[in-house]
Amino acid sequence: MSQLDERIGYLVKQVQQAFRRACEEQLRSVGLSMSQYAVLRALADAPGAPAAELARRTFVTRQSLRDVLTGLKEAGLASVAAQPSAGRALPVTLTDSGRLMLDQAERIVMEVESRMLITLPPGDVRQLATLLTTCAENLA
Amino acid sequence: MSQLDERIGYLVKQVQQAFRRACEEQLRSVGLSMSQYAVLRALADAPGAPAAELARRTFVTRQSLRDVLTGLKEAGLASVAAQPSAGRALPVTLTDSGRLMLDQAERIVMEVESRMLITLPPGDVRQLATLLTTCAENLA
DNA sequence: TGAGGAATGTAAGGATCCTGACATGAGGAG
DNA sequence: CTCCTCATGTCAGGATCCTTACATTCCTCA
């Protein structure tokens, strides 16, 4: 039996939870959740993408994304077109308000990420990125 | 701005979600969720621990753990003592049924973990563990 | 002895995420 | 053209997780 300290699945969960926790703590000052941040971020990377595409980019289901999108619409941070652009796809866009919020949130999240990596030399960070990418590919 | 591919926070989330997804998919065959598995696992490592201790070990709050524990009790996999052992702490234990279930689940999760790491030489796995541990410590 | 702190249990409410199911629109195979 | 498949949107229900709040028990310290 492997030691718990070496179980990658366990460690990944631990880091993900700690990172999420730390981010939520800081994001609370601007009234944003980590889930909402993730959607805003995806929205900035893919303006006008349908909700289903945003769901894929944030690793959740369409149904889950709807829950978060509801909150973002109510907060005036995102906007869903009334008419489909192609097929049934309704383009989602960032509002001006959403863009400003994302800028603030981005700074906060980057700070937490920096803190998480503060003791690691750049080479180690690149290596970590490579290893994690490999893990993701192996599970795909 | 960093490329998304190199954002460790993003990659950790991706891997964690993929791992969880893959595990849930396989665990469904024995009727267990990943959250439940995590609690059973913690319970095996700390027999008779109070719920609050299990919560710490699974990185969730006491309140969240209660939700999962309710399901485990209903499924007859865990048992909560009626009388406190010390203070208000109610010892939680695995039932025989729970132990059998954990054995099955453990094999399933180990298989998924192996698949995730299949292309990585042992040295890389150890380094990944080291890097992740460092990240967790930096956020603590 | 009594006040306060720390840990635990519990409850309520809300946010996020899931599966399952169904309807709709686009595009290809026959 | 019609049937089929696929992608998208939507709804319902349930599981998990969170914050906030309060009660209880033990321990420390004045």
Side-chain angles (χ1 to χ4, degrees), chain A residues 10-104:
Chain A
Y10 178 87
L11 288 172
V12 168
K13 178 179 175 184
Q14 181 178 17
V15 172
Q16 211 272 330
Q17 285 279 93
F19 180 67
R20 184 189 183 95
R21 214 68 78 77
C23 286
E24 298 250 8
E25 201 170 307
Q26 300 300 316
L27 285 174
R28 204 167 304 145
S29 65
V30 297
L32 210 64
S33 73
M34 196 55 180
S35 302
Q36 291 175 322
Y37 161 74
V39 174
L40 290 184
R41 176 70 208 248
L43 214 33
D45 290 340
E53 169 66 17
L54 299 176
R56 281 189 292 271
R57 288 174 180 258
T58 52
F59 312 117
V60 298
T61 61
R62 282 169 299 167
Q63 296 88 332
S64 300
L65 194 119
R66 251 174 74 83
D67 290 333
V68 181
L69 196 51
T70 298
L72 291 176
K73 282 190 296 187
E74 284 172 357
L77 302 175
S79 166
V80 180
Q83 297 301 321
S85 59
R88 300 193 66 193
L90 300 172
V92 183
T93 52
L94 273 180
T95 63
D96 292 341
S97 200
R99 210 173 311 270
L100 290 176
M101 177 66 88
L102 177 57
D103 287 344
Q104 294 179 61

Side-chain angles (χ1 to χ4, degrees), chain A residues 4-20 116 128 131-133 135-136 139, chain B residues 8-20 34 59 113 116-117 125 128-129 131-133 135-136 139:
Chain A
L4 198 55
D5 299 353
E6 296 177 359
R7 292 282 297 267
I8 303 298
Y10 178 87
L11 288 172
V12 168
K13 178 179 175 184
Q14 181 178 17
V15 172
Q16 211 272 330
Q17 285 279 93
F19 180 67
R20 184 189 183 95
M116 176 172 72
L128 178 54
L131 292 170
L132 289 172
T133 301
C135 288
L139 289 174
Chain B
I8 302 299
Y10 177 88
L11 289 172
V12 168
K13 177 180 176 183
Q14 180 179 17
V15 172
Q16 211 273 330
Q17 285 279 94
F19 180 66
R20 183 189 184 97
M34 196 57 180
F59 313 116
E113 182 153 336
M116 176 172 74
L117 303 172
V125 175
L128 179 53
L131 292 170
L132 288 172
T133 301
C135 287
L139 288 175

Side-chain angles (χ1 to χ4, degrees), chain B residues 14-48:
Chain B
Q14 180 179 17
V15 172
Q16 211 273 330
Q17 285 279 94
F19 180 66
R20 183 189 184 97
R21 214 67 80 77
C23 287
E24 298 250 9
E25 201 171 309
Q26 300 301 315
L27 286 174
R28 205 167 305 145
S29 65
V30 295
L32 210 64
S33 72
M34 196 57 180
S35 302
Q36 291 175 322
Y37 161 75
V39 173
L40 290 184
R41 175 70 209 247
L43 214 33
D45 290 340

